[in-house]
Amino acid sequence: MIKYCLFFVALSCAVAPLQLHSQTGTPAEPVRYVGGEICNPRLHEGGFRYVIGTENIQVMRANRTDGTVTDPNVADSVNTIGWTYNHAPNLTYWNGKFYLEYLANPKDEQQPPGHTLLVTSTDGRDWGKPFVVFPMYKAPKGVTIPKPYYGYIMHQRMGFYTAPNGRLLVVGFYGHSYNPFKEGGIGRVVREMKTDGTMGPIYFVRYSSHAAWNETNTAYPFFERSKDKGFKEACRALLADRLKTLQWIDEDRGLDGFYTLKDSINRVQATSYFHRRDGKVVALWKWSYAALSPDEGRSWSTPVRCPSLIMAGGKQWGQRTADGRYALVFNPIETQPYRYPLTMMTSRDGIVFDSIGVVHGEVPPRRFMGENKDFGPCYVRGITEGEQTPPGNDMWLTYSVNKEDIWVSRVQLPARTTWTGPVDDNFDGVAEGGAIPNWNIYRPQWCQVSVDALHHLSLRDEDPYDYARAIRVFEEAKKVNISFDINVEEEHDEPLEVDVTDRHGARAVSLSFHHGQITMAGKPCGDYKVGQWRTVSIGIDGDGLKVNGVALAPLHAVKGVERLSFRTGRYRELPDRNTPNQEPAPPLPGCDKKVAPSRYLIDNVSIR
């Protein structure tokens, strides 16, 4: 929605008050980043360190058959027909299960028809098949689409609400294309998710205050018509929750006085919030806006832009984490069509944030062109305050990549970006298929990364346009000895690449394993046989480098190294910030079909 966002930015800049005295922690500057690092726009990872132990998991891989859109009610997390614009996910955890909601359109942003899907998981790492939770809207007989709109779509800033009585409500918003905001909105709908996986009927819980919508001219009844007292009690609790409902404000600005936040020039979009250590509530929005409430959302300070938070319109997420600290997650760059990387910064008190690190640094090719399908991982959301929390000490996030595929990240806590001491990883203590401590994992649906039954790290790749990746951060050093055992079980067109990089991702070492040869920049430094184990050694001493005893020149000059990366495909720099975002193009050839698998086993990783 580029035109809308450009207008929003211009309006914000034109009316934002000049702040000569902005004391940190006050309504003039609710939060501040003091780390000083900024994004390198030429790198997918932004030149930042990684948040150690983060696992990126693809929940749904968009597919289309023969370049055509077919049955709109069918989508699959692996390999069947579906729509290719998938975006705006929301996440919760309830009664032992993760629930993830996202919206979908055939191929373009906010172009009809549209519906919302739901997908579940018991562990957050293996997900089922999505199913439609809010179908395409069908207006009652005699009700026509008002001008200048031309179709019905779904939109949502909030996905779930666990009521005080334990009921789980799934929440969405019906509106008109092209703009579901203000007069383009119809209203908020809810339905109950039952513990047995069934769902209750759909009801409206609030109509847009910008138009004359009510039970007589909308497709579903008002929730008060329900005969289920517990359901109505849950809906009333939701409507009374000032913080939860603030997430709705940019879809319906509340001409009836529903919201306590005064935002006369409509600056705020996509609310997230948390209670900071002093008890005040911090509300966060796109474009670096923030505000404070001292009384649980009954009143708010005027939203202001926090100058130390650099971002565009890709949403920001804030929360208190399970270790008692605070996190802000967003795309730290002011470009709208190029939203990468996804980063996280942490805080002791919820006011001053430091230590920025990468949560998701991969930008795969966009397989299907679509209007406003911005590149990269964006529209991040976590589990909102007041919802149930998953077991363990991890933070869970969800987002879309290229507005095409749906992902989650499991962030290992406490969040840290540096490692101290040696590394000795043989995976013996890791359960088959379980989470891999201290490794950063990138796991698309068709590129599995896991520990197998014999406690080897396994990388399997069947994707024609993506790869599996596993990264081990180690203590930064100018002199380091690295060794690992590797078994190339199956290989095909793409090589396995093993990199040793500095803190910014610059590759001092880049080994290619392909057709029995180990090479670096075309120079041989060892061999291997498919199906057999061999040990690889890498020694770095300042500007000196030896691989398996062969002296080589480093690929790039670096001050020190701190990451070991295994990747089942070639290093990629595209898309970059010059890649055309809106030029029409066909789907990438063969992107809906798996390729022959390659598989690599890693063991006994030692770094000293």
Side-chain angles (χ1 to χ4, degrees), residues 554-585:
L555 186 66
H556 299 297
V558 296
K559 293 177 67 175
V561 291
E562 64 168 46
R563 294 204 291 265
L564 172 66
S565 164
F566 298 90
R567 185 180 56 246
T568 63
R570 292 180 174 87
Y571 178 82
R572 60 187 174 205
E573 297 175 306
L574 297 176
D576 63 18
R577 299 185 196 272
N578 294 313
T579 301
N581 188 41
Q582 293 297 298
E583 289 186 6

Side-chain angles (χ1 to χ4, degrees), residues 515-586:
H515 298 321
Q517 295 295 313
I518 306 173
T519 60
M520 178 168 151
K523 297 179 180 179
C525 50
D527 56 18
Y528 62 91
K529 292 183 179 180
V530 172
Q532 295 185 12
W533 287 93
R534 75 147 295 164
T535 299
V536 174
S537 63
I538 302 170
I540 300 173
D541 187 356
D543 294 330
L545 168 64
K546 285 187 177 181
V547 177
N548 298 325
V550 179
L552 299 168
L555 186 66
H556 299 297
V558 296
K559 293 177 67 175
V561 291
E562 64 168 46
R563 294 204 291 265
L564 172 66
S565 164
F566 298 90
R567 185 180 56 246
T568 63
R570 292 180 174 87
Y571 178 82
R572 60 187 174 205
E573 297 175 306
L574 297 176
D576 63 18
R577 299 185 196 272
N578 294 313
T579 301
N581 188 41
Q582 293 297 298
E583 289 186 6

